[in-house]
Amino acid sequence: MTEVMARVVETARANNATKVTAIHLVCGAVSGVVPDCLHFCFDVCAADTIAACATLAIETAPVRWQCRACGRLLDGDERTGYDACPHCHAHAIELAGGREFFLKSIEVE
Ligand SMILES: [Zn+2]
């Protein structure tokens, strides 16, 4: 979160902004990041910065799997996952999404 805040402040300054009004984050469903903790960390990290009054919007990225054999993307759940690809039946499924955590955009004034 400290890194994210640094990016936010840097971006705002680059745009000659006086205030950051909103911060949009993308957080994967299995990234291990807990939204409640993010809000708390944000309050701590944003205090005394130009983003102190910004609204924190967290978007959850769904878990996705991809078959390495046929390349198809599959929607899925971390708990169930897939033993084999439902399309080509290869046992080559890997996690393709859901672990990301990044700054999507910010709104400034
Ligand atoms: Zn496949």
Side-chain angles (χ1 to χ4, degrees), residues 19-59:
K19 201 169 105 180
V20 177
T21 53
I23 297 169
H24 297 271
L25 295 174
V26 174
C27 173
V30 289
S31 62
V33 177
V34 182
D36 282 350
C37 293
L38 274 185
H39 281 285
F40 176 76
C41 293
F42 170 73
D43 288 344
V44 174
C45 297
D48 302 322
T49 73
I50 58 172
C53 299
T55 310
L56 188 63
I58 302 169
E59 201 179 290

Side-chain angles (χ1 to χ4, degrees), residues 56-76:
L56 188 63
I58 302 169
E59 201 179 290
T60 306
V63 177
R64 290 179 77 83
W65 302 86
Q66 186 171 27
C67 172
R68 274 187 284 132
C70 69
R72 284 196 204 238
L73 278 172
L74 316 159
D75 288 319

Side-chain angles (χ1 to χ4, degrees), residues 67 69-71 85 87-90:
C67 172
C70 69
C85 174
H87 303 288
C88 70
H89 307 288

